[in-house]
Amino acid sequence: MTTIDYSVWDHIEVSDDEDDTHPNIDTPSLFRWRHQARVERMESFQKKGEELEKNLSESRRKLAEVQRKVQELAGASTEESRQELDKAQAQERQLRREERSWEKKMDEYRREEKKQPWNVDTLSKDGFSKSVVNVKPEVKVDTEEEKELKHKTFVEKYEKQIKHFGMLRRWDDSQKYLSDYPHLVCEETANYLVIMCIDLEVEEKHALMEQVAHQTIVMQFILELAKSLKVDPRGCFRQFFTKIKMADQQYQDAFNDELESFKERVRGRAKIRIEKAMKEYEEEEKQKRLGPGGLDPVEVYDSLPLEMQKCFDEKDIQMLQDAISKMDPTEAKYHMKRCIDSGLWVPNSQTDEEVEKEEEPQYEELKTDTGNTEAK
């Protein structure tokens, strides 16, 4: 049979059940004074713990900054850089000692906290302040048209604020800005920042793209944190900044990896967009160039024999006629028709007649010694 240990109840401090008081002392007043003193002690103890936690976090943050500086200066080659490295390493050792000191104080506080006696205030806390009916809400899935309209409306209203957030650099500035404009913590902001990054990369503003990319990943990490906690993103963005500023190496590495990966995807999308735009531009230019017969003069020129290309380069009609006269009549007629259909050659009455004469086979009579004639 399991025995229940009731010894924990020996450390309950409840002043309101004391019967032995002096007859000349107002018992209810005494109980109120004792209760007030206990509450003040509890608040003071709790405030002490919060202060220790804050100092420990600040110490770790400073240590992480110095450690990054040491890594940057690790390959120092100049005398000045080596001096800075020595100074940074000394500062790192000092901050490590401070961190251990705060951790020791924090451990002592937790041990002292466990020894604190229970009382009416710690035993009588409300579990719930309201009744909640556990009904699964109906999840409405927006259609693509509704999503597009929602995004367009949001951007039209808050585009200036989104762009301002995209240009911020420091963690504290970003957190304060989102505190002032919590409506920006949403999918629409993240989507707009992604498009903004691609636009900047297409415009070859690479440094600015990388800055906005950083803020894009900040927003995406906040949204992912909200999904994991199953809360509204506007209610948990401060947790993200607290976590990232505490310099948790694993979390920081995950953030940096995702940032680099995102920038590579942006460059790839920008490249595809540029190639598509170039193809569309070339197609438009080709359509403008098309001759009366629907052929592209550039393509026709490239398909001509070198002798004919040289004639068009020199703009020499006589040279063209000579070149045609040396070609097979069928081939000559084929090339000249393509030149006309592409607009590369614009026939006129005189040139037309000359070209036609050159295209048709020529016959002449050659007299022989016997006086007979022969067609060639």
Side-chain angles (χ1 to χ4, degrees):
M1 182 176 179
T2 305
T3 304
I4 301 174
D5 182 13
Y6 291 98
S7 61
V8 293
W9 299 97
D10 296 337
H11 301 287
I12 299 176
E13 176 188 5
V14 182
S15 61
D16 301 11
D17 60 357
E18 297 175 7
D19 295 327
D20 298 332
T21 58
H22 196 279
N24 295 333
I25 296 177
D26 181 29
T27 302
S29 298
L30 177 62
F31 288 164
R32 285 196 299 273
W33 294 336
R34 288 177 176 174
H35 178 264
Q36 181 64 31
R38 184 173 64 241
V39 170
E40 290 176 357
R41 288 197 305 273
M42 289 170 57
E43 290 177 350
S44 176
F45 185 77
Q46 184 177 359
K47 186 176 180 181
K48 176 184 176 183
E50 292 173 354
E51 192 68 26
L52 287 172
E53 187 72 37
K54 180 180 177 181
N55 290 333
L56 178 58
S57 298
E58 182 66 16
S59 176
R60 287 173 174 170
R61 184 189 66 79
K62 291 180 179 179
L63 177 60
E65 290 180 356
V66 172
Q67 287 175 335
R68 282 196 293 271
K69 187 176 181 180
V70 169
Q71 291 177 355
E72 292 173 359
L73 296 171
S77 56
T78 64
E79 182 63 28
E80 183 179 355
S81 299
R82 283 193 290 271
Q83 290 177 357
E84 290 184 9
L85 177 60
D86 294 339
K87 184 178 179 181
Q89 289 174 337
Q91 191 176 4
E92 181 185 10
R93 289 190 293 271
Q94 175 63 27
L95 288 171
R96 282 188 183 280
R97 287 193 292 270
E98 290 183 8
E99 182 188 29
R100 286 193 294 270
S101 174
W102 287 118
E103 287 176 346
K104 184 178 179 181
K105 291 179 181 178
M106 197 68 209
D107 291 339
E108 291 174 356
Y109 172 83
R110 292 192 180 105
R111 285 194 295 271
E112 187 178 352
E113 185 180 30
K114 290 180 180 180
K115 295 178 182 178
Q116 292 290 311
W118 294 358
N119 54 61
V120 67
D121 297 297
T122 55
L123 290 171
S124 305
K125 289 185 177 179
D126 291 338
F128 299 96
S129 59
K130 61 181 179 180
S131 298
V132 179
V133 179
N134 188 18
V135 178
K136 186 176 181 180
E138 182 180 352
V139 179
K140 183 180 180 297
V141 180
D142 294 336
T143 63
E144 290 301 320
E145 292 78 9
E146 289 173 334
K147 289 180 180 178
E148 185 177 350
L149 179 60
K150 184 179 179 182
H151 177 79
K152 182 179 179 182
T153 303
F154 185 87
V155 169
E156 287 176 352
K157 190 174 182 180
Y158 301 116
E159 184 175 16
K160 186 176 180 181
Q161 294 177 1
I162 299 173
K163 287 184 175 180
H164 183 89
F165 174 76
M167 300 300 172
L168 297 176
R169 293 179 178 274
R170 299 176 64 250
W171 299 119
D172 291 338
D173 293 339
S174 297
Q175 181 176 356
K176 183 179 184 306
Y177 196 75
L178 293 181
S179 298
D180 295 337
Y181 305 102
H183 54 270
L184 295 181
V185 188
C186 61
E187 290 283 354
E188 285 71 29
T189 296
N191 294 338
Y192 183 86
L193 290 173
V194 171
I195 297 171
M196 187 176 173
C197 286
I198 298 174
D199 289 341
L200 291 170
E201 184 65 18
V202 169
E203 295 169 9
E204 297 186 352
K205 298 177 180 178
H206 308 300
L208 198 55
M209 181 279 286
E210 293 187 356
Q211 171 56 38
V212 178
H214 179 275
Q215 296 300 92
T216 306
I217 300 303
V218 167
M219 186 58 62
Q220 290 183 352
F221 261 60
I222 293 172
L223 296 176
E224 286 300 320
L225 179 61
K227 287 180 182 178
S228 65
L229 298 176
K230 297 180 181 180
V231 297
D232 191 306
R234 292 169 295 182
C236 73
F237 69 87
R238 292 178 181 84
Q239 291 175 254
F240 163 77
F241 287 107
T242 299
K243 194 168 185 178
I244 202 73
K245 286 190 288 186
M246 284 180 67
D248 183 330
Q249 193 61 46
Q250 186 176 359
Y251 196 68
Q252 186 73 51
D253 291 343
F255 182 91
N256 292 334
D257 290 344
E258 182 58 31
L259 175 58
E260 292 304 316
S261 195
F262 174 71
K263 287 190 287 189
E264 284 301 314
R265 293 196 297 271
V266 167
R267 295 184 186 106
R269 290 296 299 274
K271 184 179 179 181
I272 292 173
R273 186 190 288 185
I274 292 171
E275 290 174 352
K276 182 179 178 182
M278 289 298 296
K279 288 180 180 178
E280 291 176 353
Y281 174 77
E282 290 173 0
E283 185 61 29
E284 289 176 2
E285 290 298 308
K286 180 180 178 180
Q287 292 298 322
K288 293 176 183 178
R289 292 195 305 262
L290 293 183
L295 297 182
D296 181 6
V298 175
E299 293 179 359
V300 171
Y301 175 85
D302 291 338
S303 69
L304 293 176
L306 293 177
E307 294 80 1
M308 291 187 69
Q309 287 184 1
K310 187 176 180 181
C311 297
F312 282 104
D313 293 340
E314 299 290 336
K315 300 179 182 178
D316 191 325
I317 296 175
Q318 185 59 47
M319 185 187 297
L320 177 62
Q321 292 172 352
D322 294 341
I324 292 174
S325 66
K326 297 176 183 177
M327 295 173 62
D328 177 78
T330 304
E331 184 183 0
K333 188 174 182 178
Y334 167 77
H335 284 304
M336 287 308 299
K337 185 178 185 308
R338 283 171 56 80
C339 289
I340 293 170
D341 289 343
S342 67
L344 191 61
W345 175 267
V346 181
N348 54 47
S349 58
Q350 180 183 358
T351 310
D352 229 2
E353 293 174 359
E354 293 171 348
V355 170
E356 288 295 328
K357 288 179 182 179
E358 295 297 337
E359 289 178 351
E360 295 296 331
Q362 301 295 315
Y363 297 90
E364 62 179 359
E365 292 183 351
L366 298 177
K367 292 183 178 181
T368 62
D369 293 340
T370 59
N372 297 327
T373 60
E374 182 180 359
K376 290 190 176 181

